Amino acid sequence: MRTARDSDRLAVEVADTGPGIPPAVRPRIFEPFFTTKPVGEGTGLGLDISYRIVVRKHHGDIRVDSVPGATVFRVLLPLTVEPVTT
Ligand SMILES: Nc1ncnc2c1ncn2[C@@H]1O[C@H](COP(=O)(O)OP(=O)(O)O)[C@@H](O)[C@H]1O
Ligand SMILES: [Mg+2]
């Protein structure tokens, strides 16, 4: 994991050396209940929840770069203070 400041945003990168995300699967990974894991193993909720928290609630962004052996998720969060909404 790596953290950095990207002008007015905080960047948190999480990388792994797993099989990667095939291009055909990539457009669907943030869908709720989408999983490529066997029945009973995946919930398909991890990235849906992450997207809702980071992008919808905090107006950040999640970028993905993936080839076999090198997957990087980059979470961007605004550092500028926004008015509090309830
Ligand atoms: N680091 C990763 N490497 C490869 N594929 C991934 C990775 N993270 C997510 N995926 C793909 O996105 C799908 C959805 O991920 P997620 O929402 O976390 O649900 P789950 O982990 O329960 O399957 C996974 O099933 C997998 O196909
Ligand atoms: Mg997951």
Side-chain angles (χ1 to χ4, degrees):
M1 193 175 88
R2 183 180 159 264
T3 59
R5 191 165 66 88
D6 180 355
S7 64
D8 60 346
R9 296 193 292 188
L10 166 72
V12 181
E13 286 182 357
V14 183
D16 68 68
T17 58
I21 306 172
V25 163
R26 171 66 188 82
R28 301 198 61 195
I29 60 172
F30 294 101
E31 282 178 23
F33 306 113
F34 175 80
T35 183
T36 56
K37 293 177 184 173
V39 174
E41 275 185 40
T43 63
L45 287 175
L47 289 175
D48 168 55
I49 291 168
S50 304
Y51 190 92
R52 280 191 274 142
I53 293 170
V54 171
V55 181
R56 300 241 181 97
K57 185 169 170 68
H58 293 288
H59 308 296
D61 202 3
I62 305 179
R63 312 269 175 81
V64 188
D65 254 319
S66 183
V67 292
T71 296
V72 181
F73 278 86
R74 186 173 171 91
V75 174
L76 295 159
L77 289 165
L79 290 168
T80 43
V81 176
E82 292 181 44
V84 175
T85 52
T86 50

